[in-house]
């Protein structure tokens, strides 16, 4: 059994443990026990989702800078 983030860590942007995003990421209601095999399957999917989310967030920041 492993500890899984329901919403993957890649969806949160934070610089320190005092950031709101860090607290949301590591909140108990965002964690769950998961069998290792299931966790590995979910992790691969989360990497793809996290990458797409990162680029959407980056595009939003760049748009704000250019306005």
């Amino acid at each position: 059994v492993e500890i899984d983030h329901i919403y993957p860590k890649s969806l949160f942007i934070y610089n320190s443990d005092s950031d709101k995003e860090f607290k949301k990421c590591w909140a108990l209601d965002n964690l769950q026990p998961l069998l290792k095999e299931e966790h590995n399957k979910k992790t691969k999917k989360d990497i793809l989702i996290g990458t797409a989310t990162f680029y959407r967030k980056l595009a939003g920041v760049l748009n704000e800078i250019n306005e």
Side-chain angles (χ1 to χ4, degrees):
V1 176
E2 297 182 343
I3 302 293
D4 173 59
H5 285 80
I6 297 167
Y7 294 101
K9 292 182 286 187
S10 58
L11 294 179
F12 300 92
I13 298 174
Y14 54 85
N15 295 314
S16 73
D17 59 1
S18 62
D19 290 346
K20 265 189 196 180
E21 290 284 300
F22 178 89
K23 292 176 182 179
K24 287 182 197 175
C25 179
W26 290 95
L28 291 178
D29 62 354
N30 190 41
L31 302 175
Q32 66 182 350
L34 205 58
L35 293 175
K36 186 174 184 171
E37 297 80 21
E38 292 301 313
H39 192 226
N40 287 340
K41 286 181 200 173
K42 184 175 181 272
T43 299
K44 290 174 185 171
K45 182 178 79 175
D46 289 347
I47 289 170
L48 295 174
I49 292 169
T51 301
T53 301
F54 168 78
Y55 283 111
R56 281 196 302 275
K57 286 183 180 180
L58 179 60
V61 169
L62 293 175
N63 283 338
E64 287 178 19
I65 290 171
N66 290 325
E67 290 180 351

